[in-house]
Every structure is written in structure tokens, then in C-alpha cells.
Amino acid sequence: MKVIVCIKQVPDTTEVKIDPKTNTLIREGVPSIINPFDTYAIEEGIRLKETYGGTVTVISMGPPQVKESLKEAIAMGADDAYLLSDRAFAGSDTLATSYTLASGVRFLGGADLIICGKQAIDGDTAQVGPGIAEELDIPHITYVKKIRQIDNSRIVVERMVEGGIEVASTTLPALITVVKDINQPRLPSLKGIMRAKRTEIRVLGAFDLGVDQTRTGLDGSPTEVIKIFTPEVRAKGEMLDGDVEQQARTLVERLKEARVI
Amino acid sequence: MDFTLPEEIEMLRKTVREFVEKRLLPISMQVEEEDKIPDEIVDEMKDMGFFGLPFPEEYDGVGMGELGYVVALEELGAANAAFGNLIGAHTGIAGMSIYLDGTPEQKQKYIPPMARGEMIGAFALTEPNAGSDAAAIETTARREGDKYILNGSKMWITNGPIANVIIVFAVTDKTLGARGGISAFIVENTFPGYRVGKVDKKMGLHGSYTSELIFEDCVVPAENLLGKPGLGFVTAMKALDMGRIGLAAGAVGAAQKALEMSIQWANQRVQFGKPIGEQQAIQWMLAEMATEIHAARLMTYHAAYKADRGERVSREAAMVKMFASEMACRVVDKAVQIHGGTGYMAEHPVERMYRDARILKIYEGTNEIQRLVIARDLLKAGK
């Protein structure tokens, strides 16, 4: 089975401080980590390889420093890794990122299964996984908490939905995004670190991927950020005293006062 | 001059630190109380590669040399001393003896399973009447055809009760003494005539097993003679050089942890209306602790770096062992002092660290012996 895992390098938010004057994140000096949800994706890929054989390739789009995160994935047990990096990719929104990562998957000859984390902890959009699948025109299942069954042509999974679990299946090739309930990611093995050191991370640019540059980077990103602000803290509501009957009476009074009813 | 550690060793540090924080620190108190490292944690350490730290990859080791070993032991030092002690005795002196002086066949037979943690190692030199005076060894090895017959006993052997491979030093020619009369043997715990004696109770190092080992007409195949006959002492000294550097690394890691806890406490504990860290008396202690740790760390890295270049490090190994162990004892003493009554209570980690540190000045060669090694080397070089 050929598995490709897409990861993102993000600032370690546990180390991020907020500039009290501008209300923006202070990113300087903040260590970078693999997006935590993506570590579950890497782990699941490695487990599939351990059970069914095959390969796990990890790809990421970003600046050269992302190589560190890719090496960490190799130290965990991935076979190889590619970095999609080019000035032409700078300023990508989720649409352009999905297109670029999908181009990377195509460059690698596709995969039986593509695994992504459910979302990144910095952007929190959860759009890139499904975006890649749409671009590649393959089915996708989001919020997967368990792979029940997988063979060369089909996958059956449990996915988290509001208030329960949904069992879904689809044909392969497919893309899944995973939640943290799916596994417990391993730490890199000490021997894996030496393997990661020797493994060269190949960098693929716009030319290598043969991408349409009107669809990458800032040019390929229709998203426009108009304003970033911290939501106002809502005032604490009024707590009603008394027994249930009394509370209900007060509530109705208050709602009438507010002309809600 | 470049003080940057190689990229892979930084990654090793990060990984070991994460392992220590997530897996070992939460159970350090449990290890202390139960006097045992949980089996599943030992298995995890095996899977990650801790048991093969200093050995090359072709022997299933991690392949980051003495420097990688030192950085890993330093990080392990933050948790209960039992973890570093298990690895130190296994790799640093037992495995290292075979790695340094073993035949290609011996290395191929023992190092890979040891590196994978399938076989646990111990290093058996000390005896009831032979400690610092190692030449006073009374355990004998008598050649009989293609076998050696060992008789005698060893004491205070780290990993003794759990060891599968024991490096045993025994007298092969009484007339020659330490130089030519003592040989090293690789003894497996399944060899007839071998048994584990009394398991010791210690002031600290709980969770690390120490015991007596007994050899009664113990039959050892002649091919398990380690190194040249009569030169066992040379093997012991070479392995101990590496072991002493590793011991210093553990001392640095423990002291660093004690300092970090002391800083946190100094900022948090309020007396006379302000955090005690605002008192100069406390500040001076913290400054001295940090400075000594820094010195010991650089000395340790330097000795490891030199060992990795294949240079002789007996003098440096003795220096870092002596300095780092005494530094660690001073630092943990100050840590207890800063913590006050809290630090004396058994539920606080610094109380355990205070007891654990004390052995550092005694084992792997007492600090008095280290001073002898250093002075003799100085005087010899000056002749």
C-alpha cells in the first residue's frame, strides 16, 4: 500500500505569547513543531505500513526550515519526504495550498491513501485535506477516528460526527483526515534519528511540479483577510436562584421584559 | 572552535527530553516507592534504542558515539536516577568492555542483542576485599581444556539480579597481580555454577538493582575470555573511562533538574512579603549552582568529543567524574536548602535527588581514586 501523509509546520502555540499592544501573535523565537493533528496522520501511515507493508511518504509545503519537521517524520518511521518550496508558493491560502499539495501527490504518482490531520492548529480551517481530494478528484472522509478495514480497493472507517460515530466506506484511492482519538503517536526512535540525518529531503519547486502559477501563492489565493481581531469577552449571564418552578417563572419574566416572547 | 552540537544530537536531545517529560517524570515517584522500573517502560526504552546508545549502527546501536550517549544520559538524569543507572551499567561499562576489547565474533554475538535490550549487561569487578584496590581481587579462573572454571564472588553489582551478560574479572595468575594476572570473562547467567546472591538495600538509587554474584565452579567456554589473557585490568580501565564520562553526564542532568526546581520554588515561595528569590542569599546559591553545572557540562562534552576522536581520555574521564559528582552533591544540597522544610520531605523530588547524588562520589571509582589517576598522569607526563 502506498500512503502519502501531508503535514504542516506550525508555531508551538504553547510557547506563543500575544503582544498586548497589537493583539497579534509574537512569532519571533517561537519553536516550530509538526501540527499536532498531523502527527496522528504520520502515526497512522506508519501503522498501515507495519501491518500491510508498502511505503509512507510525507510531504509538506513551506519554507526550507520545514525540512526539520520532515526529518522528524522520517525518524518516526516514514520512508521518505518531500518539501514543496518555492517563492511562487508564498502567500497561499487554503485553495492554493490544496492545489500545490495535490500537485505534489500527482508528481509522486498518486497514492492508495492520503492521510491528513483534521486541521492545523494555527489556521484551524480544516479545508486543505478535502481541498486536496477535490483537486485530485478522489473521495475523502473527514474526522476519522478508526480505520476498521482496508484492502487494495476499499476502506471502511469510523468518523466522529456530532453526537456519535458514523461508519463510512469508500473506494481507494481516497483521502482521510484523522482526529486524535485514532492512535497515540510514537516518539522518533533514537536509531530513526540517524536514518533521518542520512535521508535527503528533496525540494520540489513550481517548475518541478509543473504547476499553473496563476493557481499558486498569492495569485492563486482568492481569500482576502479584511480584519483580525480578538472577540470581545461576553459578559457573564445572570444566574437564576430558587427551585425549578421559581427559576422558570423568573426566566419567563425576563424574556418578556426583553420582548423575546 | 565550534560549540554547536551536530543536528542529529540536538534531535536526540529533544526526543529524549520529550520521553523523559511524558513517560519518566510522571512515574519517578512510583519507581522510588516500588523500587522497580515498570516493565512496560523498560520495553519502551528498548524499542527506542536506549540500550544501544553508544554502539555503531551495524551492531544495532544508535551510532551517535560517546557524545550522543552523553547527551542522552544527561537528559535521562532529570528523572529518577534508576533509569540512567540501568543504561549506564548496561552500555557504558558492560557492553563497552565487549565493544572495546572483544573479538569480532564476541562483538557480533553479544553487542546486537544487548543493543536491542534482549540481553542486559552488568560489570563485575568489586569484591568484598577488593574495591578501590582492584588488584586485590580473589575470584579465580582456572583453565581446564577448552574451559575456564571460575570461583569467587562479586558484590554491589549494578543490574546484577537482571543481568544476562556479566563481565567478570578474575585472577588467572596470582604471581603477576593487576598487571598481567587478571583476566576478563564474558559470563552468561545460564552458565552452570553462576547465581545471584543477596540483593542490596541502598540509601538511594531505588529502582536500580544491586546485588552479590556468586561463582561456584562456574564453567565458562575459553572463547569467552575477553581481551588478552592477563590484561583484564586494561579492559576494565578503558571501559571505566567511558563509563565515568557517562556518569558525569547523568550528574549534570540531575543537577540541572535540581536547579530548575529551585528557580521555580524561589520565584513562588513567599516569605517576608516577597518571593525568596528576591533575597540575595538565595540568588547567590542559584548563581553558584548554574555556574558549576555549566562548567561540568562543558567538561563532559569535551571528554566525550575527545573519546569520539579516538584519543586517550583517562585523565579527562577522571576529572569530569570527580568534578561533576562533587558538583552534583553541592547543587542538590543547595536545592534542598532553597526548598527548606519542603525539600526534606519524602514526597518532594529533591529529597530523593539528594540521596541519589551521594553515590556519584563513590561508584565507578571513588573520587579519591580519580584524584590518584589524575595526579599520576600529571606526574608521569612531567617526567
Side-chain angles (χ1 to χ4, degrees):
Chain A
M1 182 165 305
K2 186 175 168 190
V3 176
I4 293 181
V5 179
C6 303
I7 68 166
K8 183 180 187 183
Q9 190 184 58
V10 296
D12 188 349
T13 49
T14 56
E15 306 274 337
V16 168
K17 293 190 175 75
I18 291 177
D19 184 333
K21 280 182 195 149
T22 60
N23 262 336
T24 54
L25 302 180
I26 306 170
R27 290 203 176 207
E28 287 80 42
V30 176
S32 294
I33 55 169
I34 299 177
N35 172 43
F37 292 114
D38 298 348
T39 61
Y40 300 93
I42 298 168
E43 176 66 32
E44 200 59 20
I46 296 169
R47 288 187 188 192
L48 286 174
K49 180 180 97 163
E50 285 169 350
T51 314
Y52 302 102
T55 57
V56 180
T57 302
V58 180
I59 64 172
S60 187
M61 186 190 88
Q65 68 173 57
V66 175
K67 275 186 181 178
E68 260 174 59
S69 292
L70 290 168
K71 290 213 163 188
E72 208 176 311
I74 289 179
M76 281 174 75
D79 295 281
D80 53 2
Y82 294 82
L83 173 63
L84 317 183
S85 192
D86 198 305
R87 278 172 202 275
F89 303 157
S92 293
D93 68 0
T94 53
L95 184 70
T97 303
S98 303
Y99 170 68
T100 308
L101 285 168
S103 304
V105 173
R106 266 191 221 112
F107 176 89
L108 295 170
D112 297 310
L113 185 68
I114 300 168
I115 313 178
C116 303
K118 70 163 180 149
Q119 67 198 58
I121 56 164
D122 55 352
D124 270 333
T125 66
Q127 291 169 355
V128 171
I132 296 168
E134 288 304 308
E135 175 61 33
L136 293 170
D137 202 19
I138 57 171
H140 73 265
I141 305 174
T142 50
Y143 307 110
V144 171
K145 72 175 285 267
K146 187 180 180 179
I147 296 178
R148 272 200 184 178
Q149 219 183 310
I150 186 165
D151 57 36
N152 289 330
S153 58
R154 205 163 178 78
I155 184 169
V156 184
V157 302
E158 291 176 14
R159 65 185 294 260
M160 303 270 271
V161 289
E162 224 170 302
I165 291 161
E166 183 180 271
V167 178
S169 77
T170 184
T171 52
L172 294 182
L175 180 146
I176 59 170
T177 75
V178 299
V179 295
K180 67 178 170 55
D181 311 63
I182 194 163
N183 57 44
Q184 181 58 52
R186 70 195 70 189
L187 284 172
S189 83
L190 307 184
K191 272 190 267 180
I193 293 172
M194 278 309 264
R195 206 168 63 77
K197 188 204 172 190
R198 277 192 301 270
T199 308
E200 207 199 322
I201 309 288
R202 214 178 131 192
V203 180
L204 302 170
F207 182 77
D208 304 299
L209 297 177
V211 290
D212 171 359
Q213 290 202 27
T214 62
R215 296 187 61 195
T216 63
L218 217 47
D219 290 343
S221 300
T223 307
E224 207 180 313
V225 178
I226 295 164
K227 188 184 169 193
I228 297 175
F229 61 96
T230 315
E232 271 176 48
V233 184
R234 282 167 67 174
K236 200 180 161 194
E238 184 187 344
M239 303 303 283
L240 304 181
D241 295 325
D243 57 24
V244 179
E245 211 170 304
Q246 231 174 330
Q247 285 179 26
R249 207 172 296 129
T250 323
L251 179 63
V252 171
E253 268 170 38
R254 292 282 195 281
L255 290 173
K256 275 183 181 165
E257 278 168 26
R259 293 174 186 277
V260 177
I261 52 173
Chain B
M1 189 85 172
D2 184 358
F3 282 99
T4 333
L5 288 175
E7 168 200 29
E8 69 274 14
I9 293 185
E10 282 299 351
M11 203 162 157
L12 174 85
R13 181 196 294 286
K14 190 176 153 223
T15 305
V16 177
R17 184 171 296 179
E18 202 175 333
F19 178 69
V20 166
E21 281 169 5
K22 282 191 177 154
R23 307 292 291 146
L24 303 189
L25 286 176
I27 58 154
S28 278
M29 195 55 88
Q30 182 195 331
V31 170
E32 182 66 15
E33 282 163 5
E34 294 175 6
D35 198 6
K36 178 180 168 48
I37 303 176
D39 291 339
E40 67 269 20
I41 295 288
V42 176
D43 288 343
E44 258 181 80
M45 291 176 79
K46 288 176 183 174
D47 288 344
M48 281 184 76
F50 278 104
F51 285 71
L53 268 168
F55 306 121
E57 288 173 285
E58 63 260 37
Y59 291 107
D60 269 347
V62 170
M64 289 190 218
E66 189 72 7
L67 192 57
Y69 176 63
V70 150
V71 167
L73 277 194
E74 179 188 345
E75 293 300 325
L76 275 185
N80 191 307
F83 302 110
N85 221 46
L86 169 64
I87 301 301
H90 168 80
T91 57
I93 42 180
M96 194 53 79
S97 298
I98 301 175
Y99 179 66
L100 291 174
D101 273 350
T103 62
E105 293 76 26
Q106 288 170 339
K107 287 202 252 185
Q108 208 49 61
K109 184 174 178 190
Y110 291 107
I111 303 283
M114 287 180 86
R116 292 191 296 267
E118 292 155 14
M119 285 181 136
I120 304 294
F123 179 91
L125 180 63
T126 302
E127 295 185 3
N129 295 317
S132 292
D133 182 9
I137 282 176
E138 288 166 352
T139 297
T140 58
R142 184 178 80 243
R143 178 95 192 219
E144 265 185 24
D146 58 354
K147 297 181 192 70
Y148 281 91
I149 308 297
L150 269 60
N151 277 290
S153 69
K154 298 286 177 181
M155 68 190 295
W156 302 331
I157 305 305
T158 303
N159 291 350
I162 56 167
N164 312 96
V165 186
I166 306 101
I167 309 301
V168 182
F169 297 88
V171 177
T172 40
D173 187 339
K174 207 170 164 61
T175 57
L176 291 174
R179 309 286 164 196
I182 294 172
S183 303
F185 297 89
I186 307 170
V187 177
E188 293 183 37
N189 64 332
T190 51
F191 289 175
Y194 167 83
R195 68 184 168 91
V196 175
K198 183 178 146 274
V199 178
D200 302 296
K201 284 193 170 172
K202 306 181 293 296
M203 174 200 276
L205 288 185
H206 297 153
S208 167
Y209 306 117
T210 309
S211 76
E212 181 189 20
L213 302 179
I214 296 163
F215 307 87
E216 285 167 329
D217 290 329
C218 176
V219 183
V220 179
E223 72 254 28
N224 275 30
L225 173 79
L226 178 61
K228 294 199 174 69
L231 296 184
F233 215 62
V234 178
T235 301
M237 291 306 120
K238 282 198 282 188
L240 282 169
D241 281 348
M242 297 297 135
R244 284 166 186 169
I245 301 172
L247 179 149
V252 169
Q256 176 67 34
K257 183 69 184 171
L259 171 65
E260 285 166 14
M261 286 191 294
S262 301
I263 292 170
Q264 207 183 355
W265 183 254
N267 279 324
Q268 167 197 333
R269 170 75 168 168
V270 174
Q271 289 289 275
F272 305 107
K274 56 185 178 184
I276 59 169
E278 289 180 24
Q279 306 287 0
Q280 197 181 49
I282 303 294
Q283 291 174 354
W284 283 30
M285 281 196 268
L286 292 173
E288 285 160 8
M289 290 158 85
T291 306
E292 283 201 274
I293 293 168
H294 185 52
R297 180 181 287 124
L298 291 183
M299 283 172 80
T300 308
Y301 288 0
H302 173 258
Y305 160 85
K306 222 178 147 183
D308 280 339
R309 286 163 57 111
E311 294 179 43
R312 190 174 160 270
V313 288
S314 297
R315 189 200 295 181
E316 286 84 354
M319 285 174 163
V320 299
K321 193 278 180 183
M322 174 189 109
F323 184 77
S325 59
E326 291 174 10
M327 172 283 290
C329 286
R330 287 190 293 266
V331 166
V332 293
D333 184 62
K334 288 188 176 111
V336 171
Q337 195 64 26
I338 290 170
H339 281 80
T342 303
Y344 195 73
M345 296 302 129
E347 65 253 38
H348 201 283
V350 297
E351 182 272 342
R352 170 184 57 73
M353 295 172 93
Y354 182 83
R355 285 181 289 107
D356 283 348
R358 189 60 185 81
I359 188 65
L360 295 167
K361 295 198 279 191
I362 300 169
Y363 69 177
E364 305 237 345
T366 62
N367 282 12
E368 290 68 35
I369 290 294
Q370 309 304 331
R371 283 172 166 82
L372 268 185
V373 171
I374 298 163
R376 282 180 185 160
D377 198 55
L378 288 171
L379 292 167
K380 202 168 108 188
K383 266 183 191 164

